[in-house]
Amino acid sequence: MTTPPATQPAGIPRTTAGLGKISVRDLVELRHLQATTLAGMSGLDRRVSWAHVSDAFDPWNWLDPGDLVLTCGYIVPEEPQDQVRFVEKLAEAGLSGLVIGEDKRCPTISSEMLEAADRADFPLIKGAHTVGFAQYVRFVAVANAKEENQSFTKIARVHGEVMASLREELAGTEFVDRLSNVVNCTLQVVDPDLWESLIPGGGTPGPEWKNAYDEEVGRSSGRAPFVMNLIVDDKVALAMPVPSERSACLIAFPDGETKPPLAVLHQIAAACGLEIGRVDATVERYRRSGAGLLNDALVGRFDPVVLTELFRERRLQGDLRVLAIDGRPDAIDKLARSWLIRRIPFLLGEIGQVAVAVVRSEDVPTSVLEERTALERWRAGLSDTFGDTGNLGDAVRQARWALETINPESSALVPYGQGSPTFLPRTLAESKLTADRVLGPLMEYDREQGTELVKTLQAYLECDRSPSRTAELLYIHTQTVNYRMARVQELTGRSMRSTGDVSELWFALRALALSQTVQ
């Protein structure tokens, strides 16, 4: 291995001299790396402080002087003049060199780019396809162990904070604050899509940072790179994806002029991923207990006094409302997580395929729910306010009634009483009367005989009166469908050949659904 010269080599910026024990030449001369110098031979004595795999198109904005850039090549511009400027900016930033792996995504390296590297004394290295970038990183880390001692110490502190968090069961904000002290940054963990904190009690950067984030992702073809340099006015922040089952991002705001080492920030992002998992487990436990309480309350298993006390223990007091949502499960999960993180008390369960939530009116204004509805593209019905837990069943029916007034193909939030079409019952009492008047004989027959005529009628109409499709949906024979529908017509006195009768049966089925609390 070549011994680094004692004096600063010609053509190497002073900011890069002495940053590491190892030089670019040392890496090139390691036979097992199979690296080939393409250009910038006179800059091979540049010191390497760290090696970073980069998928950012502007690595000079977030890497430190002395860093070696490792890339498969797709961040290299296509046009020769852009390639020249790319090399010049890398050199101006004091980076030690560029290693380009053998990859079909890499554009052709132009002669202009090679000449620019020679002029700037900036090494361009071709990496072997069979050699992973991890070997470069490992060798640089070992060679510069003393110089990187501070980073390793900080990484050890990160691991210590993780263990302390598990042992002491710290609140999310306290855990993140401790990590912030390790790197002298203000750290925030957010959902990059909703731009909401993923840590209970945590803050969220302003909308201007959301715009900066989206712009940087847009420059990366819609895919968030390993790290992004966000700039708003004269402020700078680093954004890094958090390894998690859900979309998550770590935003770091340096408290001073010095940016945190990326190796340390990467460890913090991993630690935050563990914290997000712990939050998700808490959300799931809270949801399950709330769903059990809601179900028991709706079927009348609690004395009114006991139920009021159970609601009080969950801070569900004052004016309450019920929200019925027909939406994607992942959207409902996000809503529950958002409420828990913001410390909003709630109950959340299911009635059939509809999610039903109980919240305090003051915590979840209608305007906020409208914004969420527009974002998630779901259908939702909202009950009137109520204070007595004895009115919970009525509020659930109100919310579901409001939901039923929304076209299944559209997205909207409708408060109870605002979306009622004139051709459907307008009150809960009317809904029950309509269902009993039209479907009463079927419901009584099903109770007495243990049959499923109402269910078969529902499926038959949903399948556009197709016996074969209905049979397939219910896993029964087509002849069974025909027999049941004959009994339906006989018991109700309605004919499937009459458009008016079919319409009346359909609206009666909807009224029946509205009049029931639990399916």
Side-chain angles (χ1 to χ4, degrees):
M1 182 179 297
T2 302
T3 302
T7 59
Q8 179 178 322
I12 300 178
R14 293 183 181 274
T15 54
T16 66
L19 284 177
K21 285 186 174 182
I22 190 173
S23 68
V24 179
R25 187 186 305 279
D26 294 329
L27 293 172
V28 173
E29 291 180 353
L30 289 173
R31 292 184 179 274
H32 74 277
L33 292 183
Q34 305 175 46
T36 304
T37 305
L38 299 177
M41 292 284 293
S42 57
L44 288 177
D45 288 318
R46 287 173 177 259
R47 302 288 192 229
V48 181
S49 58
W50 198 259
H52 288 284
V53 179
S54 174
D55 57 2
F57 293 95
D58 55 347
W60 49 83
N61 277 334
W62 53 270
L63 292 183
D64 298 320
D67 286 345
L68 179 68
V69 183
L70 309 172
T71 177
C72 62
Y74 79 92
I75 67 172
V76 176
E78 295 277 352
E79 298 299 324
Q81 292 305 313
D82 293 333
Q83 291 180 350
V84 169
R85 186 57 183 155
F86 183 75
V87 169
E88 290 174 346
K89 292 184 76 68
L90 292 173
E92 290 170 2
L95 301 176
S96 59
L98 176 66
V99 178
I100 305 174
E102 294 179 343
D103 193 290
K104 62 182 180 180
R105 290 174 292 179
C106 179
T108 302
I109 304 300
S110 66
S111 59
E112 289 89 342
M113 182 176 182
L114 298 177
E115 292 170 0
D118 284 333
R119 288 195 302 270
D121 300 326
F122 184 78
L124 289 185
I125 309 298
K126 179 182 179 182
H129 178 71
T130 56
V131 178
F133 287 151
Q135 297 193 44
Y136 288 84
V137 177
R138 186 180 300 112
F139 187 83
V140 172
V142 172
N144 291 335
K146 291 185 178 180
E147 275 70 13
E148 295 301 324
N149 185 60
Q150 186 178 10
S151 292
F152 292 148
T153 299
K154 289 183 177 181
I155 291 174
R157 287 181 59 191
V158 172
H159 291 168
E161 295 297 347
V162 172
M163 297 306 298
S165 174
L166 296 175
R167 182 173 60 252
E168 302 171 23
E169 297 184 356
L170 301 178
T173 48
E174 185 175 356
F175 174 65
V176 174
D177 287 345
R178 288 190 178 187
L179 294 178
S180 297
N181 293 333
V182 173
V183 287
N184 297 321
C185 289
T186 299
L187 301 176
Q188 294 177 331
V189 184
V190 301
D191 180 324
D193 300 319
L194 300 174
W195 208 245
E196 294 180 343
S197 175
L198 291 172
I199 302 297
T204 305
E208 66 275 12
W209 291 102
K210 166 64 171 171
N211 295 335
Y213 178 91
D214 289 342
E215 289 176 3
E216 288 299 318
V217 171
R219 293 191 185 100
S220 299
S221 302
R223 175 170 157 265
F226 169 72
V227 69
M228 291 187 293
N229 200 44
L230 307 182
I231 301 176
V232 174
D233 297 329
D234 59 344
K235 297 181 179 179
V236 179
L238 295 177
M240 177 178 291
V242 173
S244 171
E245 292 184 359
R246 65 190 74 266
S247 181
C249 179
L250 174 68
I251 312 290
F253 296 89
D255 294 337
E257 297 296 328
T258 304
K259 295 181 181 179
L262 291 181
V264 180
L265 206 58
H266 182 71
Q267 295 297 316
I268 289 179
C272 290
L274 296 176
E275 183 65 16
I276 290 173
R278 189 165 64 171
V279 171
D280 287 345
T282 301
V283 174
E284 183 61 24
R285 288 193 299 270
Y286 190 87
R287 282 188 63 174
R288 287 183 180 180
S289 64
L293 174 57
L294 180 59
N295 180 72
D296 289 344
L298 291 176
V299 297
R301 290 181 181 170
F302 294 115
D303 178 86
V305 175
V306 173
L307 182 59
T308 299
E309 178 61 22
L310 291 173
F311 268 52
R312 187 192 66 79
E313 290 176 359
R314 296 182 75 102
R315 297 189 294 122
L316 288 169
Q317 298 170 285
D319 289 338
L320 306 178
R321 299 186 89 170
V322 171
L323 180 68
I325 306 173
D326 181 12
R328 305 184 317 276
D330 65 307
I332 306 299
D333 289 343
K334 287 182 179 180
L335 181 65
R337 195 182 322 112
S338 174
W339 283 345
L340 185 135
I341 287 172
R342 291 157 55 199
R343 297 189 171 93
I344 293 176
F346 66 92
L347 300 179
L348 180 61
E350 291 184 356
I351 298 178
Q353 301 300 314
V354 176
V356 175
V358 181
V359 294
R360 297 186 304 197
S361 298
E362 63 187 72
D363 293 331
V364 189
T366 302
S367 58
V368 173
L369 290 174
E370 288 174 340
E371 292 176 3
R372 194 86 184 204
T373 298
L375 180 66
E376 299 290 2
R377 301 295 302 166
W378 60 33
R379 299 186 309 133
L382 189 62
S383 77
D384 288 338
T385 59
F386 67 100
D388 187 346
T389 56
N391 295 327
L392 175 63
D394 287 339
V396 171
R397 284 187 287 267
Q398 288 177 356
R400 296 192 62 209
W401 159 254
L403 175 62
E404 282 293 321
T405 66
I406 305 172
N407 188 316
E409 303 300 323
S410 63
S411 170
L413 172 75
V414 175
Y416 174 66
Q418 291 189 13
S420 304
T422 57
F423 48 81
L424 279 177
R426 299 186 62 84
T427 67
L428 298 175
E430 286 183 11
S431 295
K432 190 175 187 309
L433 287 174
T434 299
D436 289 342
R437 179 175 60 83
V438 180
L439 302 176
L442 297 185
M443 294 187 288
E444 182 178 358
Y445 188 87
D446 281 345
R447 282 194 300 268
E448 294 177 352
Q449 304 297 324
T451 54
E452 295 184 327
L453 295 184
V454 174
K455 179 180 179 181
T456 304
L457 173 62
Q458 177 80 34
Y460 184 75
L461 296 183
E462 288 178 350
C463 292
D464 297 327
R465 290 178 285 176
S466 168
S468 59
R469 289 172 55 194
T470 304
E472 182 179 352
L473 180 64
L474 298 179
Y475 299 101
I476 58 178
H477 197 276
T478 303
Q479 289 301 324
T480 302
V481 174
N482 291 330
Y483 170 77
R484 290 182 182 179
M485 294 313 302
R487 293 293 293 154
V488 166
Q489 294 179 89
E490 178 183 341
L491 291 170
T492 62
R494 270 82 175 175
S495 171
M496 292 300 157
R497 296 182 178 180
S498 168
T499 301
D501 286 352
V502 170
S503 299
E504 192 172 7
L505 289 169
W506 174 249
F507 292 132
L509 286 169
R510 293 185 65 183
L512 177 63
L514 290 170
S515 67
Q516 295 175 332
T517 301
V518 181
Q519 292 182 343

